[in-house]
Amino acid sequence: MNVSYQADADLNQAIVTGVLRREPTIDFQTALAAGLEGLKDSEVLAKAAQQGRILVSHDRKTMPLEFAEFITSNHSAGVIIVSQKLPVEVVIEELLIIWAISSAQEWVDRIAKLPL
């Protein structure tokens, strides 16, 4: 099964746009399309998990702790934390590589930080 992504509300939209421009067949849902604005981290994790999407977020302060708590009683498709200091082009390339060489099953209940 292919990796699909869910952008968190705090994710730079240029990342989503750039990924989809480079590879239009990637399933990368925006926060707006998912209705994530104003939701708590636990609710965002639940929505992404329900749809089997890896959550991509800049939130390195609260999301890792929320994720650790979430997976004690639920399964997640995974979380990728992206440093805001990384150039957008690097983030795009890393997400494309993850999509191309890994399967969705490899990301279940896993959290990673970019760059890998």
Side-chain angles (χ1 to χ4, degrees):
M1 184 177 196
N2 289 337
V3 166
S4 60
Y5 295 118
Q6 174 61 63
D8 197 357
D10 70 347
L11 189 70
N12 182 342
Q13 182 61 38
I15 293 169
V16 178
T17 302
V19 167
L20 293 173
R21 212 174 263 155
R22 292 263 316 269
E23 185 53 65
T25 62
I26 290 180
D27 184 1
F28 201 153
Q29 184 169 250
T30 65
L32 182 63
L36 301 183
E37 286 293 326
L39 296 182
K40 296 178 183 178
D41 287 349
S42 59
E43 295 169 320
V44 171
L45 287 164
K47 277 195 161 204
Q50 288 167 355
Q51 295 183 8
R53 296 176 180 278
I54 297 171
L55 182 66
V56 184
S57 177
H58 286 304
D59 182 2
R60 63 180 203 178
K61 290 185 181 179
T62 62
M63 190 57 75
L65 291 173
E66 287 290 335
F67 175 77
E69 187 173 316
F70 182 82
I71 62 171
T72 62
S73 58
N74 303 281
H75 286 289
S76 166
V79 173
I80 296 174
I81 304 294
V82 178
S83 170
Q84 290 182 336
K85 295 177 183 177
L86 273 180
V88 170
E89 301 80 23
V90 172
V91 176
I92 291 167
E93 190 63 34
E94 295 246 350
L95 291 174
L96 288 168
I97 290 169
I98 290 167
W99 176 80
I101 67 169
S102 65
S103 69
Q105 293 82 5
E106 293 176 70
W107 288 91
V108 173
D109 295 339
R110 180 177 171 200
I111 188 168
K113 293 181 182 179
L114 291 187
L116 292 178

